[in-house]
Amino acid sequence: MDRFDWKKIIRSNYFELTLVLFIFSYISYQNAWLSDDSFISFRVLDHFVNGFGLRWNIAERVQAFTNPLLILVLSPFYFMYQNIVFWSFFSSFVWGLSAFYFLRKISVSKVSFWLGLCFLLSSRSFVDYTYSGLENSLNYLIEVIFFYLYFKKEEGTDSKLPGLVLLASFALVSRIDFILIFIIPLLIVFFQDWKRRRITFSLSSKIVLCSLPAILWFLFSALYYGSLLPNTYYSKTNVEDSFVQILSQGLQYYIFELKWDSIVCIFLPIVVIVRAVLRKNSNPILISLVFSLPYLMYILFVGGDFMAGRFFTYVIFLFGIALVRLENIEKKEIYILGSALILYNILLFSTPIHSIKQQVSKNPWVLDKVGITDEKFWYYPGTGLSWHDRNGSILSNLANKKPFFPPTDQKVFIKYNTGVIGFFLQDQYIIDIIALGDPLLSRIQGKGRVGHKVRQLPLGYFESLESGENKIQDPKLKEYYDSLNLLTRGEIFDSRRLDLFWKFQFGSLRKYKEPYLIDEVREKKIWSEGNREKM
């Protein structure tokens, strides 16, 4: 009887695929969760498939979400089977696994692939937001396909530019700031084609055609919402903080990342040093750093985020792509770099390979003093996959759309954290005092924790929403709200909306800066109920 050739089996593609599937399944089970913010999108998705339109509150057209592509992709599946827990976890798993498939196609060898893969699976930022219910896993897939095409050798005289523009266009629809990852490579390919005199009318026509996903979305957004940008843009940029304060917050976000998910600042320098000693180039890492610069600058200038690691995920994935493109990796490098990764994961219990219990033991669920938090640990007891059968888990409630609180006849609510609560209160109007989904409050300056800029409630606003009539007491704000109502609640093809669109988008109505009468009674009630933190 012939002996098994174990070496041949281990070297086979099927074995490699099985091993990736096993490792990713284990890490997925341990780390899959759903964030509160994801349910802002899921509430919109539920409204959309049930005939109420792409809107947060049914009464008005407001884009409270930043990830249109995710909602549009999930909508036909959710229409057939309305279990958001299943579709979120399943789609994230499929997109994550597909991203690894293209990562393998980009890699120059099996060794480089496993180096890049193990680096990514050691990163809390990358793994945490592969799930979470947000758009990151879908964007990983877009990103890796883009760079697969970018690094692929050209065949014949056909330009890569149309295909790259198409992917960048989908990226723009998926999340507007995501486009920054692709700006420099797109410019490089454009100038390469320009030098080769490929920029012809035919190629330009193809580029315009491939830009249609983004063009069509922005046209729809302008017509339907009366805004080119999501409402979240106004809620997060219309703040009292000075430019220096925003930069300081962005710097704090960098510092927090270095402590919280230090794989990049520890492992990548080791790779560069080892290859320098062995007289090998680390050009792919340098190229990835250059490509990341627009996005890294953006993180700084917007003041980072409150979700630990979230804004760094696309940059970290780009470094993973760089690692799989490292050529001529010798046994010495394998031993050194492999040992570094193993030690990193053994010494740090917070890495994704460990169970959640181990991760939590070294990472208390507390807010950082600058307002940044580990969102996964905060929400994992309620939405973590591996703890689905524990007390406190609400996954079954979310899957069946059955609230975990008593039913209520109240029609208008004031909330600080609106995601999960909003998903259960689908027919009710929710006043979001952070203003992610509130068209009026987002135009008023907010202050507070990063990503949670609270607005004070105008006197008569609550009554306006209860009655459907404008009962705001401040005359100037009342007039402003009338105009805003026409934009968000009026007939879509009302000719007056065109003029208002321009004024709210670019003109005098873009922000409301006048003082206004505040609803003191409800403000005190919000504080007493603990719906927001003291600033």
Side-chain angles (χ1 to χ4, degrees), residues 465-479:
L465 297 170
E466 267 191 326
S467 64
E469 299 177 16
N470 188 350
K471 295 186 177 182
I472 292 177
Q473 298 299 303
D474 188 279
K476 289 184 179 179
L477 187 60
K478 183 174 184 176
E479 183 181 352

Side-chain angles (χ1 to χ4, degrees), residues 38-50 52-57 62-65 67 71 78 225 422-423 426:
S38 68
F39 284 90
I40 295 174
S41 300
F42 295 157
R43 174 174 155 123
V44 175
L45 172 62
D46 193 82
H47 286 338
F48 181 51
V49 301
N50 287 297
F52 299 110
L54 286 166
R55 52 182 79 185
W56 163 249
N57 285 312
V62 178
Q63 188 188 341
F65 54 97
N67 46 10
I71 292 176
Y78 187 71
Y225 297 114
F423 187 72
Q426 294 175 354

Side-chain angles (χ1 to χ4, degrees), residues 221-238:
S221 183
L223 179 64
Y224 187 72
Y225 297 114
S227 176
L228 291 170
L229 299 172
N231 198 67
T232 52
Y233 165 80
Y234 301 102
S235 67
K236 293 192 176 185
T237 60
N238 191 12

Side-chain angles (χ1 to χ4, degrees), residues 349-413:
F349 285 101
S350 59
T351 58
I353 68 164
H354 296 283
S355 69
I356 287 296
K357 186 177 180 180
Q358 289 175 305
Q359 293 181 42
V360 169
S361 67
K362 302 297 180 181
N363 294 273
W365 303 342
V366 293
L367 282 172
D368 183 78
K369 61 182 180 180
V370 293
I372 304 168
T373 185
D374 189 321
E375 287 283 295
K376 185 183 79 176
F377 287 162
W378 189 264
Y379 288 104
Y380 201 91
T383 66
L385 179 58
S386 70
W387 286 6
H388 68 279
D389 55 351
R390 295 195 179 197
N391 290 334
S393 176
I394 59 170
L395 282 182
S396 62
N397 298 80
L398 293 166
N400 298 304
K401 292 197 286 187
K402 291 183 178 179
F404 52 89
F405 46 82
T408 175
D409 294 328
Q410 189 176 335
K411 293 300 179 183
V412 180
F413 290 83

Side-chain angles (χ1 to χ4, degrees), residues 28 40 57 119 245 285 293 348 355 399 419:
S28 294
I40 295 174
N57 285 312
F119 162 79
Q245 288 174 313
I285 294 176
L293 286 177
L348 288 178
S355 69

Side-chain angles (χ1 to χ4, degrees), residues 74-361:
L74 288 180
S75 58
F77 301 99
Y78 187 71
F79 178 78
M80 292 184 292
Y81 177 46
Q82 295 191 17
N83 181 336
I84 196 58
V85 174
F86 172 78
W87 287 119
S88 181
F89 285 153
F90 179 73
S91 62
S92 295
F93 182 81
V94 171
W95 289 328
L97 204 59
S98 300
F100 292 149
Y101 168 78
F102 281 97
L103 195 69
R104 180 66 181 91
K105 290 180 75 67
I106 291 177
S107 61
V108 296
S109 67
K110 283 191 176 183
V111 171
S112 64
F113 168 70
W114 281 98
L115 181 67
L117 182 68
C118 292
F119 162 79
L120 291 173
L121 295 182
S122 300
S123 167
R124 300 176 71 185
S125 304
F126 176 81
V127 172
D128 281 7
Y129 293 98
T130 297
Y131 289 88
S132 81
L134 299 170
E135 69 283 344
N136 293 66
S137 56
L138 175 59
N139 287 355
Y140 293 156
L141 182 57
I142 294 172
E143 184 175 352
V144 73
I145 295 175
F146 178 94
F147 284 104
Y148 166 71
L149 180 59
Y150 177 83
F151 290 119
K152 188 178 180 181
K153 290 183 179 180
E154 288 187 350
E155 296 178 2
T157 58
D158 291 338
S159 172
K160 296 178 180 179
L161 202 52
L164 294 176
V165 168
L166 178 64
L167 289 163
S169 182
F170 280 119
L172 196 62
V173 178
S174 186
R175 185 178 170 91
I176 290 177
D177 54 18
F178 185 38
I179 190 66
L180 295 172
I181 288 289
F182 310 110
I183 291 293
I184 291 179
L186 281 172
L187 289 174
I188 289 172
V189 174
F190 175 81
F191 283 115
Q192 286 174 344
D193 283 354
W194 183 272
K195 285 183 179 180
R196 297 169 185 170
R197 298 183 178 180
R198 286 180 174 176
I199 307 298
T200 61
F201 177 78
S202 175
L203 182 62
S204 300
S205 300
K206 289 179 182 178
I207 291 171
V208 171
L209 189 64
C210 290
S211 304
L212 280 180
I215 293 171
L216 291 175
W217 172 257
F218 284 119
L219 287 174
F220 169 79
S221 183
L223 179 64
Y224 187 72
Y225 297 114
S227 176
L228 291 170
L229 299 172
N231 198 67
T232 52
Y233 165 80
Y234 301 102
S235 67
K236 293 192 176 185
T237 60
N238 191 12
V239 297
E240 294 183 7
D241 306 64
S242 67
F243 181 65
V244 173
Q245 288 174 313
I246 292 171
L247 283 180
S248 175
Q249 180 64 55
L251 184 60
Q252 290 292 334
Y253 194 63
Y254 270 87
I255 294 170
F256 189 94
E257 178 70 8
L258 294 178
K259 295 185 295 182
W260 181 79
D261 188 23
S262 50
I263 184 69
V264 172
C265 65
I266 291 177
F267 185 67
L268 290 183
I270 292 174
V271 174
V272 173
I273 292 169
V274 168
R275 290 186 71 82
V277 170
L278 297 175
R279 297 182 180 181
K280 295 179 181 180
N281 75 68
S282 301
N283 288 344
I285 294 176
L286 179 61
I287 291 169
S288 292
L289 179 61
V290 172
F291 288 173
S292 301
L293 286 177
Y295 202 89
L296 291 172
M297 294 299 292
Y298 163 78
I299 293 173
L300 188 65
F301 288 139
V302 299
D305 190 39
F306 67 95
M307 293 187 183
R310 182 187 178 187
F311 276 17
F312 289 104
T313 55
Y314 307 131
V315 174
I316 291 171
F317 190 42
L318 195 50
F319 284 131
I321 292 172
L323 289 173
V324 304
R325 295 184 61 249
L326 290 177
E327 297 179 336
N328 304 318
I329 300 178
E330 298 178 358
K331 285 187 177 181
K332 288 182 181 179
E333 288 177 85
I334 297 172
Y335 295 142
I336 295 171
L337 300 180
S339 299
L341 281 173
I342 291 170
L343 283 173
Y344 179 85
N345 282 282
I346 289 175
L347 296 176
L348 288 178
F349 285 101
S350 59
T351 58
I353 68 164
H354 296 283
S355 69
I356 287 296
K357 186 177 180 180
Q358 289 175 305
Q359 293 181 42
V360 169
S361 67

Side-chain angles (χ1 to χ4, degrees), residues 60 62 231 234-236 238-239 413-415 429-447 453-459 461-462 465 472 477 480-481 484 510-512 516-517 523 526 532:
E60 59 197 2
V62 178
N231 198 67
Y234 301 102
S235 67
K236 293 192 176 185
N238 191 12
V239 297
F413 290 83
I414 304 171
K415 293 294 178 183
Y429 190 103
I430 296 179
I431 300 175
D432 173 15
I433 57 175
I434 302 172
L436 297 177
D438 195 291
L440 177 62
L441 297 184
S442 65
R443 303 287 175 160
I444 298 170
Q445 283 193 332
K447 62 179 180 178
K453 303 297 182 181
V454 174
R455 275 71 175 179
Q456 291 185 305
L457 204 66
L459 186 61
Y461 187 44
F462 187 92
L465 297 170
I472 292 177
L477 187 60
Y480 186 86
Y481 186 50
L484 190 59
R510 182 176 174 83
K511 295 180 180 180
Y512 188 82
Y516 59 93
L517 297 173
E523 281 288 308
I526 294 168
R532 72 198 199 204

